[in-house]
């Protein structure tokens, strides 16, 4: 595509020079006719050739622009692919780092400018380059200085535009974190997830103030950059106007010295306006525009080039998990969220992870799954270091699960989206997690659309949670992690659900985070965490028979369940 684009650019550039040449021939013949040295028919022939050349140039203009649009669409698709592929390879911990979020943001805006910057560079070299090369060659045949002039006046402009690109690179750097904040404040006011609470709190005015402050800062930065740009543009324009005058003067001298024919003078003069416009377009618009965007395109290129270097191995089918002296601290945080954890989780074991809020349960799950790399210690899946393995065969249901606005079946099958839909299997899993499809609510069974966005039905928090659990359980995996996915489900129902989990998770290694100890009972083993450390480890029976954190929590919670026969 690029080769064809370049060829079209060259032909289009030549067609412009041809127009000047045929105009010269036409004007020359008119002047000969006036002197009585030529017949009208010869002039008519020149006129026809000139007409054809002009039509050809217009035709090339259409073809070139049309092909540009097609290439734009195709390239846009490829660029998006590169971007999504890179995002798919990002380590999840990178999302905890605000600088990284800015990089992603900047890369995304850079991906939009890539086509225009790359085609501008191609256009400058092959279309404008061809045009100026042939044009200066043509002028050179009359007067060598004239030929050089047209190229030399071009050079200082390029330099000053490169300076502009530095201004815009700085603007990108400074405005990315502000843009992210501004977008977030907007979301807090208008997004479906936020607006109810924001309204009730009466906090819209608060967010609006922050939003406007952010916008003002952005505008201020933009204005500053625009001012610098305008000053440098003004300087360029002076240079360009001056050179335009010099070319005119040179031309005038050349005619007086009879180096340039009258026809050539007329042709160049009529085309000089076009040359000037073209130069202006190249320098002020296309080149200027490209130099403004080159900074953001650079961000995109850096982003996609730092893709994972290491090829990872497939996960073993069955494995024990060994954690050796694991320590983990979040980026931009000083306190260790996990400290010196050593454990072995055996294949097929169901482990309940309990402990007060902030004790490190969620972080341990993420480290266990390989989503976060520990700063200290090592994790082995069987004999392999976890960091050398491709993350597969693992399934998880998170506290903050996603509400995908798609059908029930799509929601559940996401982890196995390539598989053919097996209605029976899907219905079975819905039943297991307590989604009653026969209810009127699900008008189209497993094909019912969820969420109001696309005219679907809205679910309660508990129902959404069950859909997320079904999704986690449906995925074919050797290991499943359930990080307290049942907060919106009532405690007795939760206990029943956990008993079903135990059945579904049979033969799988399962880690269940819960703060309701009635659910922890179903596990083979209970691990108690406090302040990032494991403080107790044993079966439910073992742990309630000794004095300690678990027994204390258990006694506390017993009061909640006086009517529950399970306790
Ligand atoms: P739990 O799941 O037991 O409630 P977490 O694993 O969520 O505990 O948190 C453990 C510790 O790590 C807490 O002190 C918490 O403040 C901190 N923490 C959790 N998430 C982040 C984060 N994204 N950035 C910084 N610190 C975090």
């Amino acid at each position: 595509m690029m080769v064809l684009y370049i060829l079209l650019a060259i032909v289009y550039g030549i067609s412009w020079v041809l127009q000047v040449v045929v105009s010269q021939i036409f004007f020359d013949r008119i002047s000969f006719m006036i002197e009585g040295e030529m017949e009208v028919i010869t002039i008519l022939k020149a006129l026809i050739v000139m007409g054809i050349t002009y039509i050809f140039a217009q035709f090339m203009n259409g073809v070139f622009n049309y092909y540009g649009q097609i290439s734009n669409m195709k390239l846009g698709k490829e660029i998006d692919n590169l971007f999504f592929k890179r995002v798919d390879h990002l380590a999840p911990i990178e999302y905890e780092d605000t600088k990284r979020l800015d990089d992603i943001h900047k890369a995304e805006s850079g991906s939009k400018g890539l086509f225009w910057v790359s085609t501008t560079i191609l256009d400058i070299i092959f279309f404008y380059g061809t045009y100026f090369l042939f044009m200066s060659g043509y002028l050179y045949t009359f007067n060598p200085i004239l030929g050089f002039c047209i190229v030399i006046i071009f050079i200082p402009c390029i330099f000053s535009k490169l300076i502009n690109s530095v201004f815009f690179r700085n603007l990108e750097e400074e405005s990315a974190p502000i843009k992210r904040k501004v977008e977030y404040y907007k979301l807090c006011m208008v997004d479906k997830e936020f607006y109810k609470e924001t309204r009730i709190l009466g906090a819209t005015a608060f967010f609006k103030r922050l939003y406007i402050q952010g916008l003002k800062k952005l505008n201020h930065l933009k204005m500053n950059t625009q001012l610098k740009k305008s000053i440098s543009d003004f300087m360029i324009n002076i240079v360009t106007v001056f050179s335009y005058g010099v070319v005119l003067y040179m031309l005038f001298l050349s005619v007086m010295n009879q180096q340039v024919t009258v026809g050539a003078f007329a042709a160049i003069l009529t085309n000089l306006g076009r040359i000037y416009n073209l130069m202006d377009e190249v320098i002020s618009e296309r080149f200027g525009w490209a130099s403004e965007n080159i900074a953001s395109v650079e961000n995109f290129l850096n982003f996609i080039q730092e893709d994972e270097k290491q090829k990872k191995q497939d996960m073993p089918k069955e494995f024990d998990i060994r954690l050796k002296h694991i320590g983990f601290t979040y980026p931009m945080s000083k306190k260790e969220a996990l400290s010196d954890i050593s454990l072995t989780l055996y294949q097929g074991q169901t482990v309940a992870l309990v402990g007060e809020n902030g004790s490190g349960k969620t972080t341990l799950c993420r480290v266990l799954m390989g989503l976060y790399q520990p700063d200290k210690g090592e994790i082995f899946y069987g004999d392999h270091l976890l960091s050398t393995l491709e993350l597969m065969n693992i399934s998880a249901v998170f506290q903050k699960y996603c509400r995908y606005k798609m059908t029930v079946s799509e929601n559940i099958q996401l982890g196995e989206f390539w598989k053919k839909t097996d209605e029976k299997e899907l219905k079975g899993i819905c039943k297991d997690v307590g989604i009653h499809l026969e209810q009127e609510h699900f008008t189209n069974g497993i094909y019912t659309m969820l969420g109001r966005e696309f005219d679907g039905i809205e679910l309660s928090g508990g129902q959404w949670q069950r859909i997320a659990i079904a999704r986690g359980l449906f995925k074919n995996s050797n290991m499943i992690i359930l990080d307290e996915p049942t907060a919106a489900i009532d405690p007795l129902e939760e206990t029943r659900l956990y008993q079903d989990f135990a059945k579904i998770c049979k033969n799988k290694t399962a880690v269940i985070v819960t703060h309701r100890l009635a659910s922890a009972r179903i596990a083979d083993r209970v691990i108690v965490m406090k302040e990032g450390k494991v403080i107790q480890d044993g079966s439910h029976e073992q742990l309630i028979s000794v004095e300690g954190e678990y027994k204390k929590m258990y006694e506390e919670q017993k009061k909640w369940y006086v009517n529950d026969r399970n306790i």
Side-chain angles (χ1 to χ4, degrees):
M1 280 183 77
M2 199 165 106
V3 171
L4 184 56
Y5 189 86
I6 289 172
L7 285 178
L8 286 174
I10 293 175
V11 176
Y12 183 40
I14 292 174
S15 76
W16 274 54
V17 182
L18 279 181
Q19 291 181 86
V20 184
V21 178
V22 293
S23 308
Q24 181 219 325
I25 296 171
F26 176 68
F27 290 134
D28 271 342
R29 290 193 178 174
I30 288 183
S31 78
F32 291 146
M33 190 192 77
I34 293 167
E35 285 162 20
E37 292 168 16
M38 202 154 275
E39 290 170 25
V40 180
I41 185 77
T42 349
I43 294 168
L44 275 179
K45 276 186 200 158
L47 190 65
I48 290 168
V49 172
M50 193 167 86
I52 292 172
T53 314
Y54 272 65
I55 291 170
F56 176 68
Q58 286 305 318
F59 171 74
M60 281 310 300
N61 179 26
V63 172
F64 188 58
N65 286 334
Y66 179 68
Y67 191 68
Q69 296 294 338
I70 295 178
S71 320
N72 183 10
M73 282 190 276
K74 289 206 174 159
L75 198 73
K77 203 179 79 193
E78 292 301 319
I79 290 168
D80 281 349
N81 271 343
L82 282 174
F83 181 72
F84 293 140
K85 195 169 140 232
R86 177 68 189 101
V87 169
D88 198 31
H89 286 174
L90 273 180
I93 192 67
E94 297 184 59
Y95 283 95
E96 305 291 340
D97 184 345
T98 44
K99 197 186 152 293
R100 224 32 211 139
L101 290 180
D102 286 340
D103 285 347
I104 300 170
H105 205 280
K106 285 192 288 188
E108 201 208 342
S109 62
S111 70
K112 308 268 183 298
L114 187 57
F115 172 78
W116 296 111
V117 170
S118 47
T119 49
T120 299
I121 293 171
L122 289 182
D123 288 356
I124 287 175
I125 299 174
F126 295 102
F127 169 65
Y128 297 110
T130 307
Y131 177 78
F132 284 110
L133 189 73
F134 278 82
M135 201 58 202
S136 57
Y138 171 72
L139 293 174
Y140 184 90
T141 56
F142 297 117
N143 180 347
I145 303 171
L146 212 55
F148 283 121
C149 249
I150 205 154
V151 179
I152 289 168
I153 52 173
F154 205 44
I155 294 169
C157 311
I158 293 181
F159 279 115
S160 52
K161 283 295 165 183
L162 286 178
I163 294 170
N164 269 1
S165 79
V166 176
F167 298 153
F168 280 92
R169 184 174 306 136
N170 292 344
L171 176 68
E172 277 283 312
E173 289 288 328
E174 287 174 42
S175 56
I178 308 175
K179 267 190 207 157
R180 206 158 45 79
K181 276 192 193 156
V182 164
E183 273 167 30
Y184 181 71
Y185 297 143
K186 190 169 158 196
L187 215 68
C188 291
M189 288 184 281
V190 300
D191 191 74
K192 193 165 169 260
E193 299 284 323
F194 289 88
Y195 89 89
K196 286 193 208 96
E197 197 167 332
T198 305
R199 273 285 176 82
I200 294 293
L201 284 170
T204 311
F206 172 73
F207 287 118
K208 203 164 108 192
R209 201 180 67 216
L210 290 175
Y211 178 75
I212 289 174
Q213 277 171 357
L215 273 191
K216 274 189 188 156
K217 265 191 213 160
L218 276 182
N219 286 344
H220 181 71
L221 285 174
K222 270 190 208 155
M223 295 274 286
N224 263 347
T225 313
Q226 278 299 337
L227 184 69
K228 288 184 201 159
K229 177 181 177 282
S230 303
I231 294 172
S232 99
D233 280 352
F234 178 68
M235 311 292 257
I236 300 162
N237 284 343
I238 291 178
V239 175
T240 320
V241 171
F242 179 73
S243 24
Y244 186 62
V246 170
V247 173
L248 268 179
Y249 181 67
M250 297 286 307
L251 206 57
F252 170 71
L253 283 186
S254 304
V255 176
M256 298 311 278
N257 297 339
Q258 295 191 336
Q259 286 166 322
V260 169
T261 63
V262 181
F265 177 76
I268 296 167
L269 203 62
T270 43
N271 278 283
L272 208 57
R274 283 176 88 185
I275 300 173
Y276 181 78
N277 284 340
L278 201 63
M279 290 260 287
D280 197 44
E281 189 192 318
V282 183
I283 294 171
S284 301
E285 290 178 26
R286 300 293 306 270
F287 199 72
W289 199 89
S291 66
E292 283 168 27
N293 280 276
I294 255 174
S296 68
V297 167
E298 249 177 51
N299 289 326
F300 173 76
L301 294 178
N302 289 339
F303 182 69
I304 58 164
Q305 272 163 12
E306 41 174 72
D307 210 344
E308 283 177 310
K309 283 134 204 124
Q310 197 184 355
K311 179 96 184 73
K312 302 217 167 176
Q313 295 173 330
D314 284 355
M315 253 187 198
K317 267 258 165 272
E318 297 200 331
F319 48 84
D320 292 340
I321 302 174
R322 283 177 297 138
L323 285 80
K324 291 189 172 173
H325 307 289
I326 294 300
F328 178 83
T329 311
Y330 280 95
M332 317 177 95
S333 163
K334 290 193 182 73
K335 208 176 116 234
E336 268 199 323
L338 297 178
S339 83
D340 198 20
I341 294 188
S342 294
L343 279 176
T344 302
L345 306 181
Y346 298 99
Q347 165 69 40
Q349 202 173 42
T350 307
V351 179
L353 210 53
V354 301
E356 58 196 26
N357 277 343
S359 56
K361 304 181 295 293
T362 298
T363 312
L364 181 60
C365 288
R366 290 174 181 164
V367 169
L368 253 177
M369 281 184 266
L371 285 179
Y372 294 174
Q373 283 289 323
D375 320 311
K376 293 182 194 151
E378 283 164 339
I379 301 179
F380 290 92
Y381 274 26
D383 297 328
H384 305 274
L385 256 179
L386 174 57
S387 53
T388 63
L389 297 176
E390 192 70 58
L391 294 181
M392 50 198 276
N393 297 336
I394 301 182
S395 176
V397 187
F398 299 101
Q399 255 174 60
K400 288 186 187 155
Y401 53 88
C402 290
R403 299 176 177 202
Y404 296 103
K405 309 298 157 66
M406 293 171 174
T407 65
V408 175
S409 83
E410 283 168 334
N411 253 287
I412 297 177
Q413 281 202 112
L414 267 181
E416 308 265 317
F417 65 88
W418 54 87
K419 258 174 59 177
K420 202 167 165 284
T421 306
D422 178 345
E423 289 196 17
K424 214 168 131 221
E425 194 185 359
L426 283 175
K427 283 179 183 160
I429 200 110
C430 286
K431 193 158 161 261
D432 287 342
V433 299
I435 303 168
H436 305 290
L437 289 171
E438 62 287 354
Q439 279 178 1
E440 256 177 68
H441 201 50
F442 293 95
T443 42
N444 216 355
I446 56 165
Y447 302 109
T448 309
M449 187 70 171
L450 303 184
R452 289 259 175 261
E453 274 80 353
F454 306 111
D455 295 333
I457 60 167
E458 195 46 84
L459 299 184
S460 68
Q463 280 173 316
W464 272 117
Q465 221 158 34
R466 285 169 211 269
I467 294 274
I469 295 168
R471 176 161 58 240
L473 296 179
F474 187 79
K475 187 181 169 196
N476 187 13
S477 61
N478 297 338
M479 172 167 151
I480 181 157
I481 294 187
L482 303 160
D483 183 5
E484 239 177 315
T486 46
I489 296 171
D490 71 70
L492 300 184
E493 178 62 12
E494 185 196 69
T495 310
R496 189 196 69 73
L497 205 57
Y498 273 113
Q499 277 158 356
D500 284 346
F501 282 168
K503 270 186 250 150
I504 298 168
C505 301
K506 218 170 163 48
N507 304 325
K508 288 184 187 184
T509 310
V511 178
I512 302 175
V513 177
T514 176
H515 65 272
R516 291 176 186 153
L517 301 192
S519 308
R521 286 181 60 172
I522 57 115
D524 304 324
R525 177 176 169 194
V526 179
I527 292 174
V528 187
M529 293 191 70
K530 191 171 184 174
E531 293 173 359
K533 292 196 170 71
V534 171
I535 53 164
Q536 283 187 292
D537 183 354
S539 70
H540 170 76
E541 281 71 26
Q542 284 169 344
L543 295 187
I544 48 166
S545 63
V546 292
E547 290 306 318
E549 187 77 13
Y550 188 77
K551 190 170 177 196
K552 215 168 80 197
M553 284 161 63
Y554 184 73
E555 294 297 332
E556 266 301 304
Q557 292 194 9
K558 220 170 165 181
K559 296 173 210 156
W560 304 354
Y561 298 94
V562 276
N563 296 325
D564 178 14
R565 283 178 290 112
N566 281 327
I567 298 266

